[in-house]
Amino acid sequence: MMELNLSRVDYLQVGVTSQKSTKLFPGAVGKTQRIVVGDQDGLLQCLQMKKGDAQVIFKAVSPKGITRVELGGPVGGARERVFLSTGSEIKGFTKKGKNFLSFDTNLSEPIQSMFVEGADLFTCGNYVYNHYKDCKDTNYFLSADKISDVLCLPMEKNDDITPVLACQDRVLRVLQDAELLYEVEVPGPPVVLQLYGKEADHGYGGICYNEENRLKVPFPICYGEEGNEILYGTSDGRVGLVQIGRFAPSHRWELPNEKRNGGVLSLDNFDITADGVLDLIVGRDDGLVEIYSYDEAEEPVQRFNHTLSESVTSVQGGCVATPGYDEIVCTTYAGWVSTLTSEPLIKERGPDTFSLTAEGKDKIVGLRQELDNLQVKVSSEREKYQQSAGSKTAISAVSGFNINDKFVLNREDASYTLSLELQLPIDNVLLQSDVPIDLLDVEKNSAVVSYSACNPEEGNYLLATYRCQANTTRLELKIRSIEGQYGTLQAYVTPRVQPKTCQVKQYNIKPLSLHQRTHVFDDNRPLNTVKLTGQFSLAEMHSWVSFCLPELPERTPPGETITFHFMSTFLDTLLECVYSKGEAVFRSDNISTISILKDVLTKEATKKKIRLDISYDINDESIAYTLNLIHPRLEYQLLLAKKVQLIDALKELQVHEEDLTFMSPEYRQILEEADALQAEFKRQPCHLERLYGMITDLYIDKFKFKGVNVKGKVPALLEVLDNYDLQTLVEFFNTSA
């Protein structure tokens, strides 16, 4: 297999880009392909690379930002027409730039995603899916949750039109006409879909080496065996392949996100390894670009990765600069169009010396001249601004800027990742919270953090400032909240621009913030039940439940009765919410979850002056069950804290003793793993205190439902925890009253 050695080349910068906003025109073997890219300024550009420079073939301007770019053509033929979505309008252009289509869908919400297959056009807003054939409305579907992406199975392989929607509730919805055929549960909220093996966008199936003369020749377009296999990427960084059958799906494989990389924003298939088999290309929101090869193993194996400094909104494999050299074209959020090329940028002259090519030298000279011109222009504009600012009639104009932000719950460590990305360099970010939260260390984060004194009595629990290094356009933070305590986290983002300007972003910390959606519920667990009845509507109860729990749709789902299932990312306990007009039932194996829900829902109903009748059924067996779930985590944290306390003493002993064979194997292992243990302990501040707090809340909540106040016995509980033994703890819960 060919060894991958790819080099990064930056071609140009356009405006801020959305997902799937870059495509490559079809190309023939031996010729380069054109790039078509659209940005949020409404500018569509078709580019051709000549001698390392991007030359514009045609441009088109839209009054609104471009949210998606797709290529279309006859079914089974070359895709040589450009389709873009802007607001609620679809526009079409030929490969020469002629505008042949301007179709206003008159939809109530802007188009966020679309797919083109022959004469069929599939568009999606946030919740509404529409199917148009020859620009005539054919089918319509209202999704129960927010739609992230849409595609259709290839018609040359499938008789029926089969659209697939990627929805935020961890489900792929497979449609037939305007009806839901079935749902496919995936391990995370899907963000992007890609047909497996689909190479029609590139015009040929790719290129491989002819074994006889080592020449690159085309191999056929392939869609997988049956043309019904779909790759998906999730917001928590997973990639998987699912086969869409006629009556049921089949999960082929899934790549877990063990290294906790960013969420997947873009996928493509291209034979960059030149072995005759298409490779998988993945672009992530933390700037990571990965290449996976399908070897003998069922799952793809990573062959190459490269980190850009910004979110990768699009990846496309092809040949754009030099015939015979494949590239991966990457577009970032800030608008950089870059490639990872197989073309060597330096040529070997001798055994140990290298020199630039003539084209490379000319490009460097041109870049230096362009840089000098820009510096002169910046200096001139700065002088003009300072002169105008000194006049009495001058008005300082505040420049606007876009922020690409995400606030995502991570199941692996029960924390939230807050990512902030700008097209401009970030100067500093100020975090303020009116609810207790912990800031966790992030290895990728090079910003310097400083904390300011806060007064919790005034509702201010956190005030932290992150000062970023020069040219930092993306900042990633990790936050862990405490369930039962809810409020607002605010981020004040200041870029490096003059005059100084700032934008504020707000994020809700919900009462049950560490719960995530699931589609499985175990009725065999010991469950506690709370039932609420009253004069409330379905929409009112849905808004109250959405206030308590994350990952719920803003709109009230269709139907008279709504059911949602959740799992705690911290303890793996379950929660079931079933509600309709005038009645709501909540079941959980964690009594604290039920208690938090009851308190918050009662408070929200009181604000609306709605009287609630509350009945509950408490299962005492759930206490021991929840304590058994906490046990391995608590035992591990106690052991970790004990080991960290011993490290300083053991290191001092190591300084004075040359031979440490007298030590027990346990102590020698602690010395060997000292750095790793201290790093893990530092990454999880207050973890042990958090577990103590959960057990204390469980103890108080158990007796609260029985009408007994046991807050005076909490010190006795803490003594039991200091000498922790699971059986002793369970007996304390059972005997206290």
Side-chain angles (χ1 to χ4, degrees):
M1 184 177 289
M2 184 181 106
E3 182 181 355
L4 276 179
N5 184 17
L6 305 179
S7 304
R8 175 180 172 179
V9 179
D10 296 329
Y11 286 131
L12 79 158
Q13 187 177 21
V14 296
V16 172
T17 62
S18 303
Q19 266 185 280
K20 289 189 174 181
S21 57
T22 301
K23 293 291 180 182
L24 294 185
F25 269 112
V29 176
K31 294 184 178 180
T32 58
Q33 297 170 256
R34 295 178 179 179
I35 303 173
V36 58
V37 56
D39 58 38
Q40 292 183 18
D41 294 333
L43 179 62
L44 178 76
Q45 298 182 72
C46 178
L47 309 167
Q48 177 119 36
M49 299 302 163
K50 291 186 178 180
K51 296 183 179 181
D53 292 327
Q55 297 187 358
V56 179
I57 304 301
F58 70 83
K59 288 183 179 182
V61 180
S62 300
K64 296 181 181 179
I66 297 172
T67 54
R68 188 64 60 99
V69 174
E70 290 288 341
L71 295 182
V75 174
R79 294 175 177 257
E80 295 183 326
R81 295 193 168 190
V82 183
F83 295 84
L84 62 88
S85 61
T86 171
S88 61
E89 189 178 5
I90 302 293
K91 292 186 177 182
F93 297 87
T94 65
K95 62 180 180 180
K96 294 183 179 180
K98 181 181 178 181
N99 181 203
F100 68 89
L101 174 67
S102 292
F103 172 47
D104 193 344
T105 61
N106 291 317
L107 296 175
S108 59
E109 55 185 21
I111 297 170
Q112 302 295 340
S113 56
M114 72 169 180
F115 190 79
V116 182
E117 182 74 2
D120 294 275
L121 175 65
F122 309 89
T123 67
C124 291
N126 288 324
Y127 294 90
V128 180
Y129 154 85
N130 284 84
H131 171 205
Y132 302 93
K133 190 172 184 68
D134 293 322
C135 295
K136 294 182 180 179
D137 198 349
T138 304
N139 288 311
Y140 164 94
F141 179 78
L142 178 62
S143 174
D145 211 324
K146 192 174 181 180
I147 302 170
S148 300
D149 202 2
V150 60
L151 57 72
C152 179
L153 297 184
M155 292 183 183
E156 65 264 38
K157 288 279 187 176
N158 299 272
D159 296 332
D160 299 327
I161 296 177
T162 309
V164 182
L165 310 181
C167 302
Q168 284 296 300
D169 55 352
R170 290 179 166 79
V171 162
L172 304 181
R173 289 182 166 85
V174 183
L175 307 182
Q176 188 172 39
D177 296 329
E179 301 296 327
L180 177 64
L181 189 62
Y182 58 79
E183 296 180 343
V184 186
E185 184 181 356
V186 293
V191 176
V192 60
L193 299 177
Q194 176 71 36
L195 288 171
Y196 171 62
K198 181 176 181 296
E199 279 293 325
D201 285 353
H202 306 311
Y204 53 90
I207 47 180
C208 62
Y209 281 102
N210 183 306
E211 293 297 332
E212 296 180 0
N213 52 20
R214 301 299 291 171
L215 294 176
K216 289 187 175 183
V217 296
F219 63 83
I221 298 171
C222 77
Y223 287 91
E225 295 178 0
E226 300 179 16
N228 60 356
E229 294 169 323
I230 291 179
L231 290 160
Y232 63 84
T234 67
S235 62
D236 57 0
R238 303 168 190 264
V239 181
L241 179 68
V242 63
Q243 188 169 12
I244 305 298
R246 183 174 292 273
F247 302 107
S250 174
H251 290 273
R252 296 287 298 276
W253 50 258
E254 177 203 332
L255 297 178
N257 188 14
E258 296 176 349
K259 296 183 179 179
R260 298 178 185 175
N261 295 321
V264 179
L265 290 182
S266 48
L267 297 168
D268 193 30
N269 301 281
F270 185 76
D271 182 27
I272 192 68
T273 54
D275 60 356
V277 179
L278 294 172
D279 303 304
L280 171 63
I281 307 169
V282 180
R284 299 180 181 270
D285 63 14
D286 60 352
L288 185 65
V289 179
E290 299 171 301
I291 298 175
Y292 292 86
S293 293
Y294 297 94
D295 296 331
E296 297 179 358
E298 179 68 20
E299 296 182 0
V301 179
Q302 188 181 112
R303 291 287 311 283
F304 178 86
N305 67 76
H306 180 83
T307 302
L308 305 174
S309 58
E310 301 158 354
S311 299
V312 183
T313 54
S314 300
V315 289
Q316 290 276 285
C319 176
V320 298
T322 306
Y325 292 101
D326 295 335
E327 297 173 78
I328 298 173
V329 180
C330 309
T331 307
T332 66
Y333 167 77
W336 279 106
V337 180
S338 308
T339 67
L340 299 174
T341 178
S342 58
E343 181 181 7
L345 301 182
I346 52 177
K347 292 185 178 180
E348 186 174 348
R349 179 188 290 174
D352 298 316
T353 60
F354 297 87
S355 63
L356 285 170
T357 62
E359 291 181 2
K361 290 180 179 178
D362 293 340
K363 190 172 183 179
I364 288 176
V365 172
L367 288 173
R368 284 176 177 167
Q369 185 175 357
E370 185 179 354
L371 184 60
D372 291 341
N373 293 336
L374 285 173
Q375 287 176 340
V376 171
K377 189 174 181 180
V378 168
S379 299
S380 175
E381 292 297 325
R382 183 179 287 117
E383 288 178 4
K384 288 181 182 178
Y385 174 76
Q386 290 175 348
Q387 290 174 1
S388 62
S391 66
K392 297 180 180 180
T393 58
I395 299 176
S396 180
V398 177
S399 58
F401 58 94
N402 296 320
I403 298 180
N404 180 28
D405 61 326
K406 293 183 181 178
F407 194 57
V408 181
L409 176 62
N410 306 304
R411 174 173 172 75
E412 288 76 12
D413 57 1
S415 69
Y416 277 87
T417 297
L418 172 61
S419 63
L420 301 165
E421 186 172 13
L422 278 66
Q423 192 176 23
L424 307 166
I426 302 174
D427 187 12
N428 63 76
V429 174
L430 172 66
L431 290 184
Q432 186 273 333
S433 174
D434 59 5
V435 63
I437 58 173
D438 294 331
L439 295 181
L440 309 181
D441 285 342
V442 179
E443 294 180 2
K444 305 172 188 176
N445 190 347
S446 60
V448 178
V449 60
S450 58
Y451 295 89
S452 302
C454 299
N455 187 0
E457 295 178 358
E458 297 177 354
N460 192 11
Y461 286 87
L462 173 73
L463 200 60
T465 304
Y466 286 84
R467 291 175 174 83
C468 301
Q469 297 180 358
N471 299 323
T472 298
T473 58
R474 187 177 187 276
L475 182 65
E476 187 173 297
L477 314 172
K478 278 211 168 190
I479 294 158
R480 181 173 289 141
S481 58
I482 301 173
E483 289 203 325
Q485 303 194 45
Y486 53 97
T488 305
L489 171 68
Q490 296 188 105
Y492 297 79
V493 184
T494 306
R496 293 180 184 271
V497 293
Q498 293 294 337
K500 283 295 181 182
T501 181
C502 177
Q503 278 193 34
V504 183
K505 289 289 184 177
Q506 293 186 337
Y507 308 95
N508 293 325
I509 307 294
K510 303 200 173 187
L512 294 174
S513 56
L514 299 183
H515 279 68
Q516 70 172 22
R517 286 281 296 276
T518 182
H519 299 274
V520 178
F521 190 78
D522 185 4
D523 284 304
N524 296 321
R525 294 190 181 190
L527 299 172
N528 307 283
T529 305
V530 167
K531 182 178 180 181
L532 308 177
T533 56
Q535 298 297 318
F536 52 81
S537 66
L538 179 63
E540 284 174 327
M541 178 53 70
H542 178 71
S543 68
W544 298 342
V545 176
S546 299
F547 178 79
C548 295
L549 288 152
E551 299 187 357
L552 284 178
E554 297 174 2
R555 294 185 179 182
T556 305
E560 296 182 357
T561 302
I562 300 173
T563 302
F564 290 117
H565 295 127
F566 293 86
M567 174 180 283
S568 169
T569 58
F570 201 83
L571 290 181
D572 293 337
T573 55
L574 298 176
L575 169 65
E576 181 185 61
C577 308
V578 181
Y579 50 93
S580 57
K581 181 181 178 181
E583 182 178 292
V585 179
F586 304 95
R587 297 194 299 161
S588 175
D589 49 349
N590 187 347
I591 196 172
S592 292
T593 301
I594 291 293
S595 177
I596 292 170
L597 262 177
K598 180 184 74 71
D599 292 345
V600 178
L601 293 178
T602 303
K603 187 176 179 181
E604 291 301 307
T606 303
K607 290 180 182 178
K608 290 281 188 82
K609 298 181 180 180
I610 297 176
R611 182 177 177 274
L612 293 180
D613 294 324
I614 304 173
S615 60
Y616 48 85
D617 179 18
I618 303 304
N619 190 335
D620 288 335
E621 293 181 6
S622 68
I623 302 298
Y625 182 84
T626 306
L627 290 175
N628 273 280
L629 290 176
I630 297 175
H631 170 68
R633 293 170 172 80
L634 181 58
E635 194 173 44
Y636 178 80
Q637 289 298 322
L638 287 169
L639 183 60
L640 177 64
K642 181 181 177 182
K643 288 180 178 179
V644 171
Q645 287 177 348
L646 290 171
I647 287 175
D648 289 339
L650 291 174
K651 282 187 174 180
E652 187 175 348
L653 190 61
Q654 185 182 28
V655 172
H656 296 91
E657 298 289 341
E658 295 182 0
D659 187 10
L660 299 177
T661 54
F662 67 90
M663 280 189 186
S664 66
E666 178 186 358
Y667 287 164
R668 290 203 298 269
Q669 185 179 9
I670 291 174
L671 274 175
E672 292 173 1
E673 301 174 353
D675 293 339
L677 290 171
Q678 288 177 327
E680 182 178 359
F681 191 75
K682 186 180 179 182
R683 280 198 306 270
Q684 302 183 16
C686 309
H687 203 89
L688 190 59
E689 290 80 357
R690 186 68 61 87
L691 290 169
Y692 276 23
M694 295 179 72
I695 294 173
T696 304
D697 290 341
L698 189 69
Y699 179 67
I700 294 172
D701 291 334
K702 174 190 175 181
F703 290 97
K704 185 173 70 173
F705 278 103
K706 295 183 178 181
V708 180
N709 188 341
V710 293
K711 290 185 178 179
K713 294 189 177 182
V714 170
L717 173 62
L718 295 176
E719 288 183 12
V720 174
L721 290 174
D722 288 338
N723 303 286
Y724 176 71
D725 176 72
L726 177 60
Q727 191 58 38
T728 305
L729 182 62
V730 173
E731 290 176 359
F732 181 85
F733 268 75
N734 292 334
T735 56
S736 297

